Every structure is written in structure tokens, then in C-alpha cells.
Amino acid sequence: MAERKPIESWLTDMDGVLMHEGIPVPGADAFIARLRDSGKPFLVLTNNSIYTPRDLHARLQRIGLDVPVGNIWTSALATAQFLDDQRPGGSAYVIGEAGLTTALHDIGYVLTDADPDYVVLGETRTYSFEALTKAIRLINAGARFIATNPDETGPSAEGALPATGSVAALITKATGREPYFVGKPNSLMMRAGLNVIGAHSETSAMIGDRMDTDVLAGLEAGMETFLVLTGLTRPDEIDRYPFRPSRVVDSIADLTELI
């Protein structure tokens, strides 16, 4: 295997890497500080489309992680960019929160339930039967089906919560139409993020806690990949996958010296 070029830019997942259930992972603050001091391009990524980058900046800052707004990349932003590229100035019926609706407003999309170009499904804690019924009928009438990410469940203090992928499956069952998922493991989200910071895949690294999303997306985008064991993937699960990360480490604290 050809030796990779030195890492000049970093992408890292948020939940399970920098924080876990609202608590910072030990060493995450030093990693972010080292990144900022180095001047190297970096992004903190999340498949969660609920929050705007400004919301996430504030949430991270409260737990001691100072990530600038411009260094946060969400599946909502990636979805908005994708739609802007595909059909500029279009319209969408949206099921989601402020992170998604704000991103679509910012690209000039009209949010409507009157013959929209797209039905866009994102994360929300208030899925309603009425909204899902409306989405199903609009898709049956010809609207294209987009979802921010395929995550089937999300974490909470009480246990797993149904997430975008699970709700998308319900809509698919009712319509026979599969959505196009923009977020991880779609490497589109990674490549779009690299473009935002002016980085190149051959000199970039992706840090994540999930083999099936973070590592896979980084691998398919052509990046070096690091799996941390502070999140969902356990050491005994790694060999079940037909692909491997470039390196497995206990936590993000083990990567600070590489910056």
C-alpha cells in the first residue's frame, strides 16, 4: 500500500468522539485547542439535523469545547447544499427542526406543502401523524424524497430514540419510494465538507466512533480514518466489517500528538 501524505486537515464526528451523552470526552478540549492553534483546516461533523451550527457552538462551548461556528458541518447543511446544487431556488415540504429549516431558508428555498419539489425528512423529537401523512401524500403525488441521514436510532439518557432512518422506513413502506440519504455514510457529506474548508482527501483524516458511518464515509471519500473506542463501536465488532480503519485508538486524546 502506498504511503499516505501527511495529514493537513481533520474531520471529526461529534457524539461519541468529542462528547458522550453531553459530557466531554477527556482530552477533547486539548485536541480542539491544538487544532485551532495549528491553523490547520478542520470540521466537527454531526448527522443530527436538529441544531444550527450556532446552536451547536453554544452547546459545545458550555462543556468546554470551543469550536467556531464556521467549523461545524451538519447533515442539514450538507442537505441544503445538495439541493441548491440539484435544483436552485426550489421548494420543499420539511419535517424537521430549526437546523434543517434554517439551512434551507439560507439557500433561498420556499418551504411549502403546495406541490413542493421535495419532501425533506430530518431529525425531530415531535414527529406527528399529520405531518407524516402529508409527506406520504406529497411523495405519492410526485415530490422527490430526501432524508438528512440514515441513522435508525439516536441516544438519550433513557435509551434509544427512533431517528430519521426509522421514520424514513415508515414513509418508504407507505409509498414504495426510497429516500436519497445525504448524511454519513454517504461520502457526499464528507466531500462537501472538505470543499467548505478547502481541503483535499489525500491529506485529510476522519475521526469517528462508528464503523458503519464515520469510518465507511471517510474511507469512501479517500481519507485516512481513525476509529475511537469512546462511542458505539466495540473492539470485538471491528473485524465483522469487510473494511478497516487506518488506525484504532482508545480516544481522541491519543491523536493530539499527530496534529
Side-chain angles (χ1 to χ4, degrees), residues 218-229:
L219 177 72
E220 292 187 344
M223 293 187 284
E224 192 161 351
T225 55
F226 294 91
L227 178 73
V228 297
L229 300 177

Side-chain angles (χ1 to χ4, degrees), residues 70-126:
N71 294 94
I72 296 173
W73 186 242
T74 71
S75 64
L77 294 176
T79 298
Q81 186 176 101
F82 171 75
L83 293 179
D84 195 32
D85 290 340
Q86 291 284 308
R87 188 177 289 261
S91 60
Y93 176 69
V94 178
I95 298 177
E97 301 287 345
L100 182 55
T101 56
T102 300
L104 292 174
H105 273 303
D106 286 348
I107 62 164
Y109 254 56
V110 174
L111 306 189
T112 179
D113 63 358
D115 193 27
D117 298 315
Y118 297 96
V119 167
V120 183
L121 175 68
E123 209 76 61
T124 177
R125 296 291 181 259
T126 56

Side-chain angles (χ1 to χ4, degrees), residues 182-257:
V182 177
K184 299 176 294 179
N186 190 343
S187 61
L188 176 76
M189 180 173 174
M190 321 298 281
R191 294 184 185 279
L194 290 173
N195 289 337
V196 165
I197 58 174
H200 301 283
S201 59
E202 65 268 22
T203 56
S204 299
M206 173 65 195
I207 309 167
D209 70 307
R210 291 184 61 158
M211 288 288 291
D212 57 346
T213 55
D214 305 319
V215 171
L216 180 57
L219 177 72
E220 292 187 344
M223 293 187 284
E224 192 161 351
T225 55
F226 294 91
L227 178 73
V228 297
L229 300 177
T230 49
L232 289 178
T233 302
R234 300 191 308 270
D236 62 296
E237 295 175 321
I238 298 171
D239 284 338
R240 298 179 189 175
Y241 293 88
F243 52 88
R244 291 188 60 82
S246 306
R247 183 175 164 189
V248 179
V249 296
D250 289 332
S251 80
I252 198 167
D254 299 314
L255 300 177
T256 303
E257 63 186 28

